[in-house]
Structures are given as structure tokens and as C-alpha cells.
Amino acid sequence: MTNRPPVASCFTSLHLLGAALLGVIAWVHFKDIPDKLKETDYLGWAYILLVAGCAAAGAWLLSSHPRRGYVLGSVISLGATIGYVLTRTTGLPHATDDIGNWVELSGIVALVAEGAFLILSAVALRPARTPETVQVSPPFPNDH
């Protein structure tokens, strides 16, 4: 019996969690596309692009290029969060109905998923610590 190291998969549970969060973000926006297209067509098209971007980022997370998925997903999450804040504060051109509407459940769910994805991306994209980059200090300062 030989002890073999576990086979490395092309994706980890971290990537799966990221893809799931992108799925939540996409779903919240996907279900609002018909209403947005009727109300403010440019926001409807932005939602369509957001959903497509989430699909692309999720596919990258589950491929051999997860870094691209984290970068694209972060851009989408940050952009959607900024859009949410703008629609609730100043409004957007031809889109002022949501000013002050901070407690809409789908908006809160999307914000939580977007924030979680941004945190996950920060963890996933941080530089790897290798023995060469870790500086070890002596336990006591040198008094010379």
C-alpha cells in the first residue's frame, strides 16, 4: 500500500462557493429583467449583461482560470453594489422609483451575496505565502 497525495482537482470548495454566490447575484437580477426592460430599458440591458457576466465568471471559477472569474465577479459585484446605492440615493436617469427603498428583500439578498463575493475574492486573490516571502524575526531583538 502506497501513500499517494490526494489528486488536485481543478476547482476547490472556495471556487464552488464563489460560483454559488455569483448564481445568487445572477438569479436576483435575472428575475427582474422583464420589469426593468419595461420601466427603464438601459437598466434591463445592464441586468442582462450582469447575468451573462456572472455566468462567465462562474465558468472561469470552475475552470483552470479561477483568477479571471474572481476578477470579473469582483467587478460585477462592486458595480452592482454601486448601482444599488445610486438607485437608492440620487436615482439614475429615468429611474427614481427606488429612492429611499433600502429594505427590498431581493436587494438585500443581492447586497449580501455581492459583499460575500468581494470578501471571498480578496481571500482567493491574496498573494500566496511561500517560504521565500515569509520573514522570520528572532524571538528577542538583537541588542548589539
Side-chain angles (χ1 to χ4, degrees):
M1 183 173 191
T2 61
N3 290 334
R4 293 183 184 169
V7 176
S9 66
C10 64
F11 55 89
T12 66
S13 56
L14 193 70
H15 304 336
L16 287 172
L17 176 59
L21 289 168
L22 289 170
V24 170
I25 296 165
W27 176 251
V28 167
H29 290 86
F30 175 79
K31 67 183 188 61
D32 282 342
I33 289 173
D35 290 337
K36 288 298 175 197
L37 285 171
K38 288 177 191 170
E39 296 168 9
T40 312
D41 60 348
Y42 76 89
L43 284 179
W45 285 103
Y47 278 31
I48 291 169
L49 289 174
L50 180 145
V51 170
C54 284
W60 269 331
L61 287 180
L62 302 180
S63 76
S64 58
H65 303 287
R67 183 174 189 77
R68 293 176 185 174
Y70 285 115
V71 171
L72 178 58
S74 294
V75 169
I76 291 167
S77 294
L78 187 58
T81 300
I82 291 169
Y84 181 85
V85 170
L86 287 174
T87 59
R88 273 37 181 197
T89 55
T90 61
L92 294 173
H94 309 291
T96 56
D97 293 345
D98 282 325
I99 293 177
N101 184 13
W102 292 97
V103 295
E104 183 179 355
L105 182 59
S106 62
I108 293 170
V109 169
L111 277 179
V112 169
E114 291 153 5
F117 187 85
L118 288 168
I119 292 168
L120 183 69
S121 292
V123 169
L125 294 174
R126 76 182 185 279
R129 294 185 65 169
T130 62
E132 295 83 29
T133 62
V134 176
Q135 294 181 353
V136 179
S137 331
F140 300 103
N142 199 352
D143 290 334
H144 298 328

